[in-house]
Amino acid sequence: MNTILETVEKEQHRRIKKLVEHQQTDGSFQFRFQGSLMTDAFYIITIRALNIETEEENIRLLTKTLRTTQEKEGYWKAYRDEPNGHLSATIIAYTALLYSGHYTKDDQQMKKARSFIIKNGGLAKAHFMIKWMLSVNGLYPWSHMIYIPMTFLLLPTFQPINFYQFSAYARIHFIPMLIASNKKFTLQPKAKLDDLFVRGIALYPSYEYLENERSPLTFLWNEMKRIGKFPAYLHHLGFQYGEKYMLDRLEEDGTLYSYASATFFMIYALLALGYKKDSPVIKKAVSGLSSLIDKRGELSHLENSTSTVWDTGLISYTLQQAGMTSESITIKKATKYLLTKQHTKRGDWQVHNPRTEPGGWGFSDINTNNPDNDDTSAVLRALTAAAAKNPTVHQAWQKGTNYLLSMQNRDGGWGAFEKNTDWEILKLVPIENAKDAAVDPSTADLTGRVLEYLGNFAHLRYTHPHIKLAVDWLSDNQEKNGSWYGRWGVCYIYGTWAALTGLTAVGMSLNHPTIKKAVTWLKRIQHSNGGWGESCQSCEKLTYVPLPFSTESQTAWAVDALIAAGEGASREVKRGIQYLLEEKRENHTITYPTGIGLPTQFYIYYHSYNHIFPLLALSHYRIDLLNKLANS
């Protein structure tokens, strides 16, 4: 028997056994979704602001997390190889430690953090979301420079400007932020940060240049001023609309849209509207936030949401690619769980897609409002084999596939949550991350992954009109060097993996120049140890930035992409497989964040990824190797 085949199969069995041990009694797989320290800090600040005394153990645990992750220089980082400290992270972590009551400004590490903050411009240089959190807690003055009136929420969707032109992610965060900022709501501060203001640095940027500038933004600016002059009763209706919008989108656990970040903002918005600190809706929201604290491991972390549906869909699919049948107990349990999580509500996605029945899946186990295309395609992969044998599964599979096809954008690609939510003007709004969060455009990773599902599992080919449009979009959006930019993973390796596997799945020739350019690029960036590694800096600089080390998930993506492109026998793939077969890993190579929530601010270490993607790549390598042996 082929020696490498034996080795790969042995490693497959080891990884399969390890994964199956993680399955819960309900059939799900639960791994930590580890994002920014912002959620940990926001929790500490919010609990103290609400004067809740029953959460002291959680405060202690998250305080320990913040202090332990502080660098010896005093600052906090968003990722290991960040050139300097992260100012916004340092500001909010410093504030949270003061609020915790466990540390004072006289602590040596706190002094170092303070020096870093002042050296880098002080509070005025923080991200606008951090400024907002400081403002509602009386630690930063509200801006008088830019104003979005509540009446903006009342504009109907047929108007050239309306709130539904923003992405779902932006809407669910902006509404509570607008409510509190319009009310200029402020709680009594629990600490003082006056010493973190730097003289000579403006607290807010000036937008007066928009008054006379001839640009699309001037039009938007003038419209905001115009609707700001609507009668007062309309502003009152705007507050009512915002309140109802939030309350209608609460999940069963009390969180807003299942996001911790949006839930924090909602709590302050409700206080601004007159809700008492101990009102049932706020108490339920706090309970929901507390339930998101993952206490496994040495350090606790408040997940921005769970990733249970995502992990379960990917793991079920991967185990089946590794040879497990849909009739196995593990897959049957996962299938049963996933069927219970298919969405039945007509969520916000229907505004731009009104004729389609619900049928998608969301990211977390508590998400019933906000399905997304990536989770939907992941779950559909996992259900395909069972759907061929079971009418109930097939019905869910068909509804999901119809939903996914209906969510294709007019440009041919797929975005994350909604359809045709890519108004160019919103990308130019002069606030941080507008281009990343205010819109939900087609992306190479989403488009590629949907294509891979439609090609390999729904058996659609290039001649299908949906497929041809998507292939054309990917071809048009390939970078000059042959890569693609991935929005939700780090970054060019992720996008290139998704695009290559998608294009080859629907029948693009392996000799096509598009495929060849991507293959050449992937081979060129391979590390000397056989792996691949890409820095989070890639999405900040919008160019590929290598890591000085390799990571398992990025290596698996690159290997899987090359196998799909017909390079399974190449030296590069063999070296990549050897890297994945190695057992010893330095901790930083395992824990490096290879997921993106919000570029420059929110990076994600998926604890599941090092279990999922190496097994997937090894399984596809084994299949490719067996096919070659059979044909030799």
Side-chain angles (χ1 to χ4, degrees):
M1 188 176 181
N2 188 289
T3 304
I4 185 64
L5 184 59
E6 287 180 335
T7 305
V8 167
E9 289 181 340
K10 182 179 179 182
E11 179 64 7
Q12 269 189 302
H13 292 313
R14 186 187 73 82
R15 287 179 177 270
I16 290 170
K17 184 175 183 293
K18 194 172 180 181
L19 257 181
V20 171
E21 290 171 355
H22 283 276
Q23 190 170 35
Q24 306 295 306
T25 54
D26 67 354
S28 68
F29 291 86
Q30 298 176 12
F31 287 86
R32 180 181 289 189
F33 173 67
Q34 187 165 335
S36 164
L37 60 80
M38 180 187 75
T39 52
D40 301 329
F42 277 15
Y43 183 86
I44 293 169
I45 294 168
T46 303
I47 295 300
R48 288 292 185 241
L50 295 174
N51 299 316
I52 299 174
E53 298 179 356
T54 56
E55 300 294 319
E56 284 306 312
E57 177 61 11
N58 287 335
I59 294 284
R60 185 189 67 79
L61 289 172
L62 296 180
T63 298
K64 178 186 175 184
T65 297
L66 291 181
R67 184 54 182 259
T68 304
T69 54
Q70 186 179 16
E71 302 288 334
K72 65 179 186 298
E73 295 85 356
Y75 50 65
W76 281 262
K77 286 187 171 187
Y79 50 91
R80 179 184 173 87
D81 60 315
E82 190 170 29
N84 298 300
H86 194 284
L87 179 60
S88 290
T90 302
I91 288 171
I92 204 64
Y94 176 87
T95 305
L97 290 181
L98 288 180
Y99 264 61
S100 75
H102 294 280
Y103 295 96
T104 69
K105 292 182 179 182
D106 293 329
D107 177 87
Q108 281 303 116
Q109 283 297 97
M110 295 290 276
K111 287 180 178 179
K112 288 182 180 179
R114 177 182 177 277
S115 296
F116 173 80
I117 293 168
I118 293 172
K119 182 181 177 181
N120 286 274
L123 301 185
K125 295 295 183 180
H127 191 273
F128 80 93
M129 288 196 298
I130 302 301
K131 288 180 181 175
W132 185 93
M133 180 57 90
L134 296 178
S135 294
V136 291
N137 281 288
L139 300 167
Y140 199 88
W142 282 109
S143 169
H144 296 280
M145 301 302 296
I146 191 166
Y147 173 57
I148 300 177
M150 295 305 298
T151 42
F152 177 50
L153 305 184
L154 303 177
L155 297 179
T157 56
F158 60 76
Q159 291 278 42
I161 298 176
N162 68 81
F163 198 52
Y164 281 88
Q165 288 169 318
F166 284 87
S167 70
Y169 178 87
R171 289 196 305 274
I172 206 65
H173 289 84
F174 281 174
I175 279 190
M177 294 179 84
L178 287 179
I179 290 171
S181 61
N182 271 270
K183 293 279 189 180
K184 298 291 187 287
F185 175 76
T186 297
L187 289 174
Q188 186 68 29
K190 302 286 185 178
K192 289 188 176 181
L193 301 182
D194 296 352
D195 54 338
L196 297 183
F197 292 97
V198 177
R199 183 175 296 180
I201 297 181
L203 297 182
Y204 287 97
S206 172
Y207 301 109
E208 292 179 358
Y209 67 92
L210 293 174
E211 295 280 354
N212 302 311
E213 190 179 71
R214 294 173 66 89
S215 75
L217 271 182
T218 301
F219 166 71
L220 190 61
W221 173 266
N222 290 332
E223 281 297 293
M224 289 300 110
K225 289 171 63 179
R226 183 181 68 83
I227 63 177
K229 296 176 182 177
F230 285 179
Y233 75 90
L234 288 178
H235 289 275
H236 181 67
L237 288 177
F239 283 113
Q240 289 183 334
Y241 180 93
E243 179 182 6
K244 186 175 187 301
Y245 186 93
M246 294 187 297
L247 297 180
D248 285 350
R249 287 156 181 80
L250 291 177
E251 295 292 358
E252 187 178 348
D253 67 343
T255 60
L256 179 59
Y257 244 42
S258 78
Y259 293 139
S261 51
T263 306
F264 286 118
F265 295 162
M266 178 191 70
I267 288 171
Y268 289 96
L270 293 175
L271 292 173
L273 291 170
Y275 284 68
K276 301 297 183 184
K277 291 181 179 180
D278 59 352
S279 67
V281 67
I282 290 179
K283 290 174 72 174
K284 187 79 177 289
V286 170
S287 174
L289 289 169
S290 299
S291 71
L292 288 171
I293 299 175
D294 181 358
K295 299 176 183 179
R296 292 170 292 183
E298 291 184 17
L299 297 177
S300 298
H301 174 62
L302 196 154
E303 299 172 290
N304 199 48
S305 71
T306 67
S307 57
T308 312
V309 173
W310 176 242
D311 290 332
T312 304
L314 287 176
I315 291 169
S316 176
Y317 153 66
T318 298
L319 289 173
Q320 291 176 72
Q321 292 292 291
M324 196 173 280
T325 71
S326 62
E327 296 300 311
S328 69
I329 294 174
T330 299
I331 302 303
K332 288 178 79 170
K333 286 172 65 179
T335 298
K336 183 178 180 181
Y337 170 80
L338 291 169
L339 289 176
T340 67
K341 297 302 175 180
Q342 187 170 29
H343 285 205
T344 58
K345 289 183 183 178
R346 291 183 174 275
D348 282 2
W349 54 267
Q350 70 174 326
V351 171
H352 300 293
N353 189 12
R355 297 183 183 88
T356 298
E357 291 295 313
W361 278 265
F363 183 72
S364 75
D365 61 332
I366 52 176
N367 182 340
T368 64
N369 286 292
N370 192 34
D372 68 88
N373 297 323
D374 218 358
D375 276 280
T376 300
S377 71
V379 172
L380 288 171
R381 284 182 188 86
L383 297 183
T384 298
K389 304 171 184 177
N390 185 311
T392 301
V393 181
H394 184 269
Q395 184 180 23
W397 181 89
Q398 192 64 63
K399 284 180 68 176
T401 301
N402 292 342
Y403 174 84
L404 192 61
L405 284 168
S406 78
M407 292 298 288
Q408 186 174 25
N409 289 329
R410 65 173 68 93
D411 63 11
W414 274 265
F417 300 102
E418 294 185 321
K419 181 177 181 176
N420 299 328
T421 314
D422 189 19
W423 195 31
E424 288 292 324
I425 292 179
L426 297 181
K427 298 178 184 178
L428 305 175
V429 172
I431 59 173
E432 301 97 326
N433 291 115
K435 64 182 175 62
D436 305 306
V439 291
D440 186 8
S442 297
T443 66
D445 45 336
L446 266 295
T447 305
R449 288 176 60 74
V450 171
L451 272 186
E452 195 272 337
Y453 162 70
L454 293 175
N456 283 340
F457 296 85
H459 307 299
L460 300 184
R461 282 303 185 254
Y462 187 86
T463 52
H464 191 284
H466 281 279
I467 303 301
K468 189 176 187 310
L469 271 174
V471 168
D472 289 346
W473 186 89
L474 278 173
S475 298
D476 291 343
N477 285 273
Q478 187 177 26
E479 303 288 333
K480 290 181 179 179
N481 64 9
S483 68
W484 281 269
Y485 176 81
R487 165 63 181 86
W488 300 97
V490 181
C491 191
Y492 290 94
I493 295 176
Y494 186 71
T496 304
W497 164 64
L500 267 182
T501 53
L503 290 171
T504 56
V506 297
M508 180 175 274
S509 169
L510 302 185
N511 293 316
H512 195 286
T514 298
I515 303 294
K516 289 297 186 184
K517 280 179 66 178
V519 166
T520 299
W521 180 78
L522 279 174
K523 288 182 175 182
R524 180 170 58 81
I525 64 167
Q526 187 175 26
H527 288 172
S528 59
N529 66 356
W532 279 260
E534 181 177 0
S535 171
C536 294
Q537 292 180 60
S538 287
C539 70
E540 300 173 8
K541 297 183 177 180
L542 294 180
T543 188
Y544 171 73
V545 178
L547 277 173
F549 52 86
S550 301
T551 70
E552 281 195 273
S553 56
Q554 290 169 330
T555 299
W557 295 334
V559 167
D560 198 43
L562 289 173
I563 293 169
E567 295 289 328
S570 68
R571 177 173 176 269
E572 288 80 6
V573 166
K574 290 177 181 177
R575 291 175 63 224
I577 290 294
Q578 286 297 331
Y579 177 85
L580 293 176
L581 291 173
E582 294 173 8
E583 291 188 13
K584 291 185 178 180
R585 294 274 186 267
E586 292 186 59
N587 186 60
H588 63 269
T589 71
I590 297 170
T591 59
Y592 190 83
T594 57
I596 304 172
L598 196 61
T600 73
Q601 301 298 319
F602 196 102
Y603 297 98
I604 305 160
Y605 163 38
Y606 288 90
H607 286 223
S608 63
Y609 275 18
N610 294 330
H611 295 273
I612 295 169
F613 293 112
L615 177 58
L616 186 65
L618 289 167
S619 300
H620 288 164
Y621 180 73
R622 174 182 176 274
I623 293 168
D624 187 71
L625 192 58
L626 286 172
N627 288 336
K628 285 183 171 64
L629 290 171
N631 294 324
S632 62

